[in-house]
Amino acid sequence: MIKLLLTDLDGTLTIDRGTYKLDLEAINSLRRAESSGVKVALVSGNSYPVLRGLYNYLGLSGGIVAENGCLVFYSGNSIITCDTVPRRLIDEFKAIFNLKESWQNEFRKADFGFTPAEINNEMIKWASERDLVVQSSGYALHLSGKPGGKGVGVRKLLELHGIVREEVAAIGDSKTDIEMFEYATIRGAVANADPALLKVSNVTLKLKSGRGVTEFIDMILR
Amino acid sequence: MIKLLLTDLDGTLTIDRGTYKLDLEAINSLRRAESSGVKVALVSGNSYPVLRGLYNYLGLSGGIVAENGCLVFYSGNSIITCDTVPRRLIDEFKAIFNLKESWQNEFRKADFGFTPAEINNEMIKWASERDLVVQSSGYALHLSGKPGGKGVGVRKLLELHGIVREEVAAIGDSKTDIEMFEYATIRGAVANADPALLKVSNVTLKLKSGRGVTEFIDMILR
């Protein structure tokens, strides 16, 4: 029986990929899951205060994995799961690769966002030489301390819940959700998901983004 | 003609006072206002990152007045409109009056939140002796630098928009919304609003909180 639903935010709870606009019917479906005893957790590359605000105002209770896995919040406690990154390395990364910083970087601890989202080998080399991790969500580049990635945060969240993989479902749209899928028994990819995520999913939704979330929750609650 | 709708968040866009749960039909109404050419701004005591997240994901475009008036965001720029408060005064206020800090204080610049929300004369005296302002929203105590209060932020937002009072509508539920009402020609108080706000409103909604917002927007768009 599913007790926890992990959901990505951008491209998943939104009306499409590439827009911030939440699909309100999907939010309603998350609330249906909550009132049926399935706690919902947000798992995203966004900063903690942005996600905590959404979490509170959407009415969720399953916790938060913020900063692309580097910060976990559940039941009053927040935990940083990656090494923090000195500000000078963030400035250096930005300058060398001519990137624009996310407005949220000011509110982050261990994972920092930049655009454009395109990743290249020089970036990977630069990060690895400095014991850092660089990833692209398709929406932003993420530079973080080790270990980095959604997996480390999701593992910690499941530990805080005291539940196992068999009780967890997850839904997402992008490559950064692959690590989250490793901790879920039902793994839904929205219809417009990245092919790499579709490959590791076991439920391919017919509908895209937020409408796919409603389709997925209907299936879980059936 | 109304070009800008100022809306409070807690107790106004929520399903009731005293809950964080957004009324999704009210959010849908805000989007209807936006697609009818009425920009919507969030005016709240919350921190900037919490409000900016909601603003982006709800799909609004009228700007943000955060930190109970002390921080204004519109069209890519954010401006601090109050004196900032040294951390030692925040700690002192908390200790003397035995208060709990808001989790958002870490992300604030000039206005800080505490609970319980009850204000007393000693607090007002303490703040005034230190050139600070203390207010209660009914949800939290706010300690801020001068001038403080939603009015200063709303005035700056209207200036950034280049619009006048005759083009502005506002809706709220609490005493802290009184200052916002000074800058609006149509001033709606939800049915469950504080009596002090009802007194300075010119539209009293039949419905409470979020349902009152839908009622108000229907009226403005008619």
Side-chain angles (χ1 to χ4, degrees):
Chain A
M1 195 186 129
I2 297 303
K3 290 186 182 165
L4 180 67
L5 168 60
L6 307 169
T7 179
D8 172 50
L9 175 55
D10 295 295
T12 302
L13 294 179
T14 50
I15 57 172
D16 203 346
R17 298 187 83 184
T19 170
Y20 287 121
K21 216 171 186 176
L22 285 179
D23 182 313
L24 299 182
E25 192 45 46
I27 303 312
N28 204 38
S29 299
L30 298 183
R31 290 181 176 178
R32 275 193 297 125
E34 285 272 352
S35 40
S36 305
V38 178
K39 288 177 188 276
V40 178
L42 295 175
V43 179
S44 164
N46 277 281
S47 65
Y48 169 63
V50 161
L51 293 170
R52 176 79 187 274
L54 286 169
Y55 179 80
N56 287 355
Y57 286 102
L58 299 183
L60 309 180
S61 73
I64 298 167
V65 176
E67 295 198 18
N68 209 35
C70 289
L71 195 154
V72 181
F73 169 82
Y74 181 58
S75 192
N77 302 304
S78 64
I79 299 160
I80 296 170
T81 55
C82 306
D83 296 336
T84 56
V85 184
R87 181 71 226 180
R88 62 170 181 80
L89 289 179
I90 294 157
D91 292 338
E92 198 181 315
F93 184 70
K94 181 182 161 184
I96 290 176
F97 298 105
N98 196 22
L99 301 167
K100 195 174 166 288
E101 268 196 83
S102 158
W103 68 269
Q104 293 184 46
N105 280 3
E106 186 185 345
F107 309 109
R108 290 166 174 279
K109 308 265 195 233
D111 170 273
F112 298 83
F114 305 85
T115 50
E118 281 70 40
I119 197 165
N120 64 42
N121 286 334
E122 283 96 295
M123 290 174 184
I124 296 170
K125 185 167 174 283
W126 182 94
S128 127
E129 283 168 2
R130 284 155 187 84
D131 250 352
L132 301 174
V133 182
V134 64
Q135 272 196 314
S136 173
S137 66
Y139 299 96
L141 277 176
H142 286 269
L143 182 70
S144 66
K146 283 195 170 170
K150 285 186 175 178
V152 57
V154 169
R155 185 166 61 238
K156 175 57 76 182
L157 181 68
L158 265 57
E159 210 180 289
L160 294 173
H161 274 272
I163 63 172
V164 293
R165 200 176 175 280
E166 283 61 39
E167 302 169 307
V168 180
I171 184 161
D173 77 310
S174 90
K175 279 183 193 169
T176 58
D177 299 316
I178 294 174
E179 290 191 20
M180 169 173 79
F181 274 17
E182 289 168 23
Y183 297 89
T185 187
I186 312 184
R187 303 178 292 280
V190 292
N192 52 340
D194 191 294
L197 188 72
L198 287 167
K199 222 175 276 176
V200 295
S201 69
N202 54 14
V203 178
T204 304
L205 284 318
K206 289 194 195 73
L207 302 173
K208 69 179 185 180
S209 296
R211 293 174 61 210
V213 171
T214 292
E215 188 188 347
F216 191 61
I217 290 173
D218 286 346
M219 202 197 78
I220 291 172
L221 298 183
R222 201 182 295 145
Chain B
M1 199 190 125
I2 298 302
K3 290 186 181 165
L4 180 67
L5 169 60
L6 307 170
T7 179
D8 171 51
L9 174 55
D10 294 295
T12 301
L13 293 180
T14 49
I15 57 172
D16 203 346
R17 298 188 84 184
T19 170
Y20 287 121
K21 216 170 185 178
L22 287 178
D23 182 312
L24 299 181
E25 192 45 46
I27 304 312
N28 203 38
S29 299
L30 299 182
R31 290 181 175 177
R32 276 192 296 123
E34 285 273 352
S35 41
S36 305
V38 178
K39 288 177 188 276
V40 177
L42 295 174
V43 180
S44 165
N46 277 280
S47 66
Y48 170 64
V50 161
L51 293 170
R52 177 76 186 277
L54 286 169
Y55 179 80
N56 288 354
Y57 286 101
L58 299 183
L60 309 181
S61 74
I64 298 166
V65 175
E67 295 198 18
N68 209 34
C70 289
L71 195 154
V72 181
F73 169 82
Y74 182 59
S75 192
N77 301 305
S78 65
I79 298 160
I80 296 170
T81 55
C82 306
D83 296 337
T84 55
V85 183
R87 181 71 227 180
R88 63 168 180 82
L89 288 179
I90 295 158
D91 292 337
E92 198 181 315
F93 184 69
K94 181 182 161 185
I96 291 177
F97 299 105
N98 195 21
L99 302 166
K100 196 173 165 289
E101 268 197 84
S102 158
W103 67 270
Q104 294 184 45
N105 280 2
E106 185 185 345
F107 309 108
R108 291 167 174 277
K109 308 266 194 235
D111 170 273
F112 297 82
F114 305 85
T115 49
E118 283 68 41
I119 197 165
N120 63 42
N121 285 334
E122 282 96 294
M123 290 174 182
I124 296 171
K125 184 168 174 282
W126 182 93
S128 127
E129 282 168 2
R130 284 152 186 85
D131 249 353
L132 301 174
V133 181
V134 64
Q135 272 197 315
S136 172
S137 67
Y139 299 97
L141 277 177
H142 287 268
L143 182 71
S144 66
K146 285 200 168 166
K150 285 186 174 180
V152 57
V154 169
R155 185 166 61 237
K156 176 56 78 180
L157 181 67
L158 266 56
E159 209 180 287
L160 296 172
H161 274 272
I163 64 172
V164 292
R165 199 176 175 282
E166 283 63 38
E167 300 168 309
V168 180
I171 184 162
D173 77 312
S174 90
K175 279 184 193 168
T176 58
D177 299 316
I178 294 174
E179 289 191 19
M180 168 173 81
F181 273 17
E182 289 169 23
Y183 297 89
T185 187
I186 311 183
R187 304 179 291 279
V190 291
N192 51 340
D194 190 293
L197 188 72
L198 287 166
K199 220 175 277 178
V200 294
S201 69
N202 54 14
V203 178
T204 304
L205 283 320
K206 287 193 197 73
L207 303 173
K208 68 179 185 181
S209 296
R211 292 174 61 212
V213 171
T214 292
E215 188 188 347
F216 191 60
I217 290 173
D218 285 347
M219 203 197 78
I220 292 172
L221 299 183
R222 200 180 295 144

